[in-house]
Coordinates of all heavy atoms in Angstrom, one line a residue:
I307 N 0.8 -1.2 0.0 CA 0.0 0.0 0.0 C 0.9 1.3 0.0 O 0.6 2.2 -0.8 CB -0.9 0.0 1.2 CG1 -2.1 -1.0 1.0 CG2 -1.5 1.4 1.5 CD1 -3.1 -0.6 -0.1
E308 N 1.9 1.3 0.9 CA 2.8 2.5 0.9 C 3.4 2.7 -0.4 O 3.5 3.9 -0.8 CB 3.8 2.3 2.1 CG 3.2 2.3 3.5 CD 4.3 2.2 4.5 OE1 5.5 2.1 4.2 OE2 3.9 2.1 5.7
S309 N 3.9 1.7 -1.0 CA 4.6 1.9 -2.3 C 3.6 2.3 -3.4 O 3.9 3.3 -4.2 CB 5.2 0.5 -2.7 OG 5.8 0.6 -4.0
L310 N 2.4 1.7 -3.4 CA 1.4 2.1 -4.4 C 1.0 3.5 -4.2 O 0.9 4.3 -5.2 CB 0.2 1.1 -4.2 CG -0.9 1.3 -5.2 CD1 -0.5 0.7 -6.6 CD2 -2.2 0.7 -4.7
Y311 N 0.7 4.0 -3.0 CA 0.2 5.3 -2.8 C 1.2 6.4 -3.1 O 0.9 7.5 -3.6 CB -0.4 5.5 -1.4 CG -1.8 4.8 -1.2 CD1 -2.2 3.8 -2.1 CD2 -2.6 5.2 -0.2 CE1 -3.5 3.3 -1.9 CE2 -3.9 4.7 0.0 CZ -4.3 3.7 -0.9 OH -5.5 3.1 -0.7
R312 N 2.5 6.1 -2.8 CA 3.6 7.0 -3.1 C 3.7 7.2 -4.6 O 3.8 8.3 -5.1 CB 4.9 6.6 -2.5 CG 5.0 6.7 -1.0 CD 6.4 6.5 -0.5 NE 6.5 6.7 0.9 CZ 6.5 5.7 1.8 NH1 6.6 4.5 1.4 NH2 6.6 6.0 3.1
D313 N 3.7 6.1 -5.3 CA 3.8 6.1 -6.8 C 2.5 6.8 -7.4 O 2.6 7.5 -8.4 CB 4.0 4.7 -7.4 CG 5.3 4.1 -7.0 OD1 6.2 4.9 -6.6 OD2 5.5 2.9 -7.1
Y314 N 1.4 6.6 -6.8 CA 0.2 7.2 -7.3 C 0.3 8.7 -7.2 O -0.1 9.5 -8.1 CB -1.0 6.7 -6.4 CG -2.4 7.3 -6.7 CD1 -2.9 7.4 -7.9 CD2 -3.1 7.8 -5.6 CE1 -4.1 8.0 -8.2 CE2 -4.4 8.4 -5.8 CZ -4.9 8.4 -7.1 OH -6.1 9.0 -7.3
G315 N 0.8 9.3 -6.1 CA 1.0 10.7 -5.9 C 1.9 11.3 -6.9 O 1.7 12.3 -7.5
K316 N 3.0 10.5 -7.2 CA 4.0 11.0 -8.2 C 3.4 11.0 -9.6 O 3.6 12.0 -10.3 CB 5.2 10.0 -8.2 CG 6.1 10.1 -7.0 CD 7.2 9.0 -7.1 CE 8.0 9.0 -5.8 NZ 9.0 7.9 -5.9
M317 N 2.6 10.0 -9.9 CA 1.9 10.0 -11.2 C 1.0 11.2 -11.4 O 1.0 11.8 -12.4 CB 1.2 8.7 -11.4 CG 0.5 8.5 -12.7 SD -1.2 9.2 -12.8 CE -2.1 8.1 -11.6
V318 N 0.1 11.5 -10.4 CA -0.8 12.6 -10.5 C -0.1 13.9 -10.6 O -0.5 14.7 -11.5 CB -1.7 12.6 -9.2 CG1 -2.6 13.9 -9.2 CG2 -2.6 11.4 -9.2
R319 N 1.0 14.1 -9.9 CA 1.7 15.4 -10.0 C 2.4 15.5 -11.4 O 2.8 16.6 -11.7 CB 2.7 15.4 -8.9 CG 2.1 15.7 -7.5 CD 3.1 16.0 -6.4 NE 4.0 14.9 -6.1 CZ 3.7 13.9 -5.3 NH1 2.5 13.9 -4.7 NH2 4.6 13.0 -5.0
S320 N 2.6 14.4 -12.1 CA 3.2 14.5 -13.4 C 2.3 14.9 -14.5 O 2.7 15.3 -15.6 CB 3.8 13.1 -13.8 OG 2.8 12.2 -14.1
L321 N 1.0 14.9 -14.2 CA 0.0 15.3 -15.2 C -0.2 16.8 -15.3 O 0.1 17.5 -14.4 CB -1.3 14.6 -14.9 CG -1.3 13.1 -14.8 CD1 -2.6 12.5 -14.3 CD2 -1.0 12.5 -16.2
D322 N -0.8 17.2 -16.4 CA -0.9 18.7 -16.7 C -2.3 19.2 -16.1 O -3.3 19.1 -16.7 CB -0.9 18.9 -18.2 CG -0.9 20.4 -18.6 OD1 -0.9 21.2 -17.7 OD2 -1.0 20.7 -19.8
N323 N -2.2 19.7 -14.9 CA -3.3 20.3 -14.2 C -4.5 19.3 -14.1 O -5.7 19.7 -14.3 CB -3.8 21.6 -14.9 CG -2.9 22.7 -14.5 OD1 -2.7 22.9 -13.3 ND2 -2.4 23.5 -15.5
W324 N -4.3 18.1 -13.8 CA -5.4 17.1 -13.5 C -5.8 17.2 -12.1 O -5.0 17.6 -11.2 CB -4.9 15.7 -13.9 CG -5.0 15.4 -15.3 CD1 -4.4 16.0 -16.4 CD2 -5.8 14.3 -15.9 NE1 -4.8 15.4 -17.5 CE2 -5.6 14.3 -17.3 CE3 -6.6 13.3 -15.3 CZ2 -6.2 13.4 -18.1 CZ3 -7.1 12.4 -16.2 CH2 -7.0 12.4 -17.6
C325 N -7.0 16.9 -11.8 CA -7.5 16.8 -10.4 C -7.6 15.3 -10.1 O -7.9 14.4 -11.0 CB -8.9 17.4 -10.3 SG -9.0 19.1 -10.7
A326 N -7.4 14.9 -8.9 CA -7.4 13.5 -8.5 C -8.3 13.4 -7.2 O -8.1 14.1 -6.2 CB -6.0 13.0 -8.2
Y327 N -9.3 12.5 -7.3 CA -10.3 12.2 -6.2 C -10.1 10.8 -5.9 O -10.2 9.9 -6.7 CB -11.7 12.5 -6.7 CG -12.0 13.9 -6.9 CD1 -11.7 14.6 -8.1 CD2 -12.6 14.7 -5.9 CE1 -12.0 15.9 -8.3 CE2 -12.9 16.0 -6.0 CZ -12.6 16.6 -7.2 OH -12.9 18.0 -7.4
T328 N -9.8 10.5 -4.6 CA -9.4 9.2 -4.1 C -10.2 8.8 -2.9 O -10.2 9.5 -1.9 CB -7.9 9.2 -3.8 OG1 -7.2 9.8 -4.8 CG2 -7.4 7.7 -3.6
L329 N -10.8 7.6 -3.0 CA -11.6 7.1 -1.8 C -10.7 6.0 -1.2 O -10.3 5.0 -1.8 CB -12.9 6.5 -2.2 CG -13.8 5.9 -1.1 CD1 -14.4 7.1 -0.3 CD2 -14.9 5.0 -1.7
T330 N -10.4 6.1 0.1 CA -9.6 5.1 0.8 C -9.8 5.2 2.3 O -10.1 6.2 2.8 CB -8.1 5.3 0.5 OG1 -7.3 4.3 1.2 CG2 -7.6 6.7 0.9
S331 N -9.6 4.1 2.9 CA -9.6 4.0 4.4 C -8.2 4.1 5.0 O -8.1 4.1 6.2 CB -10.3 2.7 4.8 OG -9.4 1.6 4.5
V332 N -7.2 4.2 4.2 CA -5.8 4.4 4.7 C -5.7 5.8 5.4 O -5.8 6.8 4.7 CB -4.8 4.2 3.6 CG1 -3.4 4.5 4.1 CG2 -4.9 2.8 3.0
T333 N -5.5 5.8 6.7 CA -5.6 7.1 7.4 C -4.4 8.0 7.1 O -4.6 9.2 7.3 CB -5.6 6.8 8.9 OG1 -4.5 6.0 9.3 CG2 -6.9 6.0 9.3
D334 N -3.3 7.5 6.7 CA -2.1 8.4 6.4 C -2.0 8.6 4.9 O -0.8 8.7 4.4 CB -0.8 7.9 7.0 CG -0.5 6.5 6.6 OD1 -1.3 5.8 6.0 OD2 0.7 6.1 6.8
F335 N -3.1 8.6 4.1 CA -3.0 8.7 2.7 C -2.3 9.9 2.2 O -1.5 9.9 1.3 CB -4.5 8.6 2.1 CG -4.5 9.0 0.7 CD1 -4.1 8.1 -0.3 CD2 -5.0 10.3 0.3 CE1 -4.1 8.5 -1.7 CE2 -5.0 10.6 -1.1 CZ -4.6 9.7 -2.0
E336 N -2.6 11.1 2.8 CA -2.0 12.3 2.4 C -0.5 12.3 2.5 O 0.2 12.8 1.6 CB -2.6 13.5 3.2 CG -4.1 13.8 2.8 CD -4.7 14.8 3.8 OE1 -4.9 14.4 4.9 OE2 -5.0 15.9 3.4
R337 N 0.0 11.7 3.6 CA 1.5 11.6 3.8 C 2.1 10.8 2.7 O 3.1 11.1 2.1 CB 1.8 11.0 5.1 CG 3.3 10.9 5.4 CD 3.5 10.3 6.8 NE 3.1 8.9 6.8 CZ 3.8 7.9 6.4 NH1 5.0 8.1 5.8 NH2 3.4 6.6 6.5
L338 N 1.4 9.6 2.4 CA 1.9 8.7 1.4 C 1.8 9.3 0.0 O 2.7 9.2 -0.9 CB 1.2 7.4 1.4 CG 1.4 6.6 2.7 CD1 0.4 5.4 2.8 CD2 2.8 6.1 2.9
F339 N 0.7 10.0 -0.3 CA 0.5 10.6 -1.6 C 1.5 11.7 -1.8 O 1.9 12.0 -3.0 CB -0.9 11.2 -1.6 CG -1.4 11.8 -2.9 CD1 -2.0 11.0 -3.9 CD2 -1.2 13.1 -3.2 CE1 -2.4 11.5 -5.1 CE2 -1.6 13.7 -4.4 CZ -2.2 12.9 -5.4
G340 N 1.9 12.4 -0.8 CA 3.0 13.4 -0.9 C 2.4 14.8 -0.9 O 3.2 15.8 -1.2
K341 N 1.1 15.0 -0.7 CA 0.5 16.3 -0.7 C -0.8 16.3 0.1 O -1.6 15.4 0.0 CB 0.3 16.7 -2.1 CG -0.2 18.2 -2.3 CD -0.5 18.5 -3.8 CE -1.0 19.9 -3.9 NZ -1.3 20.2 -5.4
K342 N -1.0 17.4 0.9 CA -2.2 17.5 1.6 C -3.4 17.8 0.7 O -3.2 18.5 -0.3 CB -2.1 18.7 2.6 CG -3.2 18.8 3.6 CD -3.0 19.9 4.6 CE -4.2 20.1 5.5 NZ -4.6 18.9 6.2
A343 N -4.5 17.1 1.0 CA -5.7 17.3 0.1 C -6.2 18.7 0.2 O -6.2 19.3 1.2 CB -6.7 16.3 0.5
D344 N -6.8 19.2 -0.9 CA -7.5 20.4 -0.9 C -8.8 20.3 -0.2 O -9.3 21.3 0.4 CB -7.7 20.9 -2.4 CG -6.4 21.2 -3.1 OD1 -5.7 22.2 -2.7 OD2 -6.0 20.4 -4.0
K345 N -9.4 19.2 -0.3 CA -10.7 18.9 0.4 C -10.7 17.5 0.8 O -10.1 16.6 0.2 CB -11.9 19.1 -0.6 CG -12.1 20.6 -1.0 CD -13.4 20.6 -1.9 CE -13.6 22.1 -2.3 NZ -14.8 22.2 -3.2
K346 N -11.4 17.2 1.9 CA -11.6 15.8 2.4 C -13.0 15.7 3.0 O -13.5 16.5 3.7 CB -10.5 15.6 3.5 CG -10.5 14.2 4.1 CD -9.3 14.0 5.0 CE -9.5 14.6 6.4 NZ -8.4 14.2 7.3
R347 N -13.6 14.5 2.7 CA -14.9 14.3 3.1 C -15.1 12.8 3.6 O -14.6 11.9 2.9 CB -15.9 14.5 1.9 CG -17.4 14.4 2.3 CD -18.2 14.5 1.0 NE -19.6 14.7 1.2 CZ -20.2 15.9 1.1 NH1 -19.5 17.0 0.8 NH2 -21.5 16.0 1.4
K348 N -15.8 12.6 4.7 CA -16.0 11.2 5.2 C -17.1 10.6 4.4 O -18.2 11.1 4.3 CB -16.3 11.3 6.7 CG -16.4 9.9 7.3 CD -16.9 9.9 8.7 CE -15.9 10.6 9.7 NZ -16.4 10.5 11.1

């Protein structure tokens, strides 16, 4: 999971002004993704 989410964050940041919406129960997702979310909803 840690490897997957880190690579996921890198991939999203490589795109040209894309938005990414992610549903997950992993509590430290933002840390693994590498960026704090602009919005978060339960």
Side-chain angles (χ1 to χ4, degrees):
I307 285 292
E308 290 184 2
S309 174
L310 183 75
Y311 283 22
R312 286 193 180 100
D313 291 343
Y314 176 52
K316 290 176 187 175
M317 180 274 292
V318 171
R319 289 191 293 276
S320 73
L321 299 172
D322 185 5
N323 279 313
W324 277 57
C325 300
Y327 291 83
T328 314
L329 182 73
T330 179
S331 66
V332 174
T333 54
D334 58 344
F335 168 74
E336 289 168 293
R337 180 182 67 82
L338 296 171
F339 185 89
K341 186 180 179 184
K342 187 174 176 60
D344 296 290
K345 293 181 180 179
K346 184 170 78 170
R347 187 188 192 99
K348 186 187 293 184

